[in-house]
Amino acid sequence: MSFHILAVIYTSLRRFEEAVLILELSIEVPVFRNGSDHALAKFSGCMHLGDKYSILGQLDQSIKFYDSVWRIQIEAHGDLDARVAETCRYLAEANVQATQFDEAENLCRKALEIHNEHCALTSLEDVADHQLMALVYEAKADYESALEHLVLASMSKIADNQANESANDIRIGNIYSSLCRFDEAIFAYQKALTVFKSIKGKNHPSVDCRISLYSSY
């Protein structure tokens, strides 16, 4: 664990390359099959390496270590454990950044499957999964599928009294615009504006900006 402390020190000094070298040494020491402590050390080292390589913009390496974390968790806890779903999302996000959208889609689908086993359909986890899946489909220009997942995310937020931010409705409006469904886009933008007013107040300067933007439709 002293390796990890040293890596944290280097990270706090923004000396990420040195932190990476220390963490790579740390994962050579533990032997996964020697017990849970070794598995935890290996998990922690690989997770930190994934984060550090992401900061450095080395996405292939980041994905490699997030994938190692995922496989360690599956071996330790089974492939339907809730902790595996969280790592699925990390790995999916890294694949999105690397423009590996098919792999990101598969991982998002796995995260949704696991969360459906463990969480309510209106949970924060479910919302995050649908929003990420929508992002993947937007990147693949599959706007109908993206819209489906954003609507599901909105429904989950409403059911769980989370509908207090406008970002999701703005994304829905943008997709309707991409599909040339302008009446529906206007409705989504107006809904977003109503939420934004309720949070910021109708006299907030940014409310006027949004009114000008949405009125262009």
Side-chain angles (χ1 to χ4, degrees):
M1 203 54 75
S2 59
F3 283 117
H4 294 171
I5 294 170
L6 188 55
V8 169
I9 293 170
Y10 278 128
T11 299
S12 67
L13 296 171
R14 304 189 66 79
R15 293 166 58 179
F16 299 118
E17 289 85 357
E18 288 96 331
V20 164
L21 289 173
I22 293 297
L23 288 167
E24 286 182 339
L25 281 174
S26 78
I27 65 171
E28 291 177 5
V29 176
V31 179
F32 176 67
R33 298 187 185 279
N34 284 355
S36 59
D37 288 343
H38 289 268
L40 180 60
K42 187 88 170 182
F43 166 89
S44 179
C46 289
M47 194 71 183
H48 285 302
L49 277 165
D51 293 342
K52 297 299 179 293
Y53 275 119
S54 180
I55 291 170
L56 292 169
Q58 298 182 34
L59 296 177
D60 288 345
Q61 287 293 93
S62 179
I63 289 169
K64 170 187 169 182
F65 285 104
Y66 285 145
D67 185 71
S68 294
V69 170
W70 185 43
R71 295 181 189 283
I72 289 168
Q73 285 183 312
I74 289 173
E75 187 166 349
H77 307 295
D79 62 356
L80 290 178
D81 188 88
R83 288 162 288 192
V84 172
E86 295 307 306
T87 305
C88 270
R89 195 186 300 142
Y90 267 109
L91 194 49
E93 288 170 351
N95 275 279
V96 168
Q97 292 181 52
T99 68
Q100 297 177 15
F101 301 121
D102 289 340
E103 185 62 25
E105 180 183 348
N106 291 334
L107 289 160
C108 282
R109 188 173 290 111
K110 183 64 176 179
L112 275 166
E113 176 190 344
I114 298 170
H115 281 140
N116 287 344
E117 287 284 326
H118 296 279
C119 306
L121 292 178
T122 59
S123 67
L124 288 171
E125 292 83 2
D126 186 72
V127 170
D129 290 342
H130 283 300
Q131 288 177 327
L132 184 56
M133 184 69 98
L135 182 63
V136 171
Y137 281 128
E138 284 183 80
K140 296 175 74 172
D142 184 351
Y143 298 117
E144 293 285 358
S145 295
L147 183 61
E148 177 186 346
H149 283 280
L150 285 175
V151 170
L152 286 169
S154 287
M155 291 170 61
S156 294
K157 286 186 174 187
I158 292 169
D160 200 38
N161 297 316
Q162 302 170 30
N164 58 353
E165 54 89 16
S166 57
N168 211 62
D169 291 314
I170 293 170
R171 287 180 67 187
I172 289 173
N174 291 342
I175 290 178
Y176 277 132
S177 295
S178 298
L179 294 170
C180 297
R181 294 163 61 175
F182 298 116
D183 288 344
E184 291 160 297
I186 290 169
F187 179 80
Y189 289 141
Q190 287 175 336
K191 183 181 174 186
L193 184 60
T194 299
V195 173
F196 197 75
K197 283 181 180 179
S198 71
I199 296 170
K200 297 291 186 179
K202 64 180 182 180
N203 295 320
H204 194 277
S206 58
V207 170
D208 289 334
C209 293
R210 288 174 184 243
I211 289 172
S212 299
L213 176 63
Y214 300 155
S215 63
S216 65
Y217 287 86

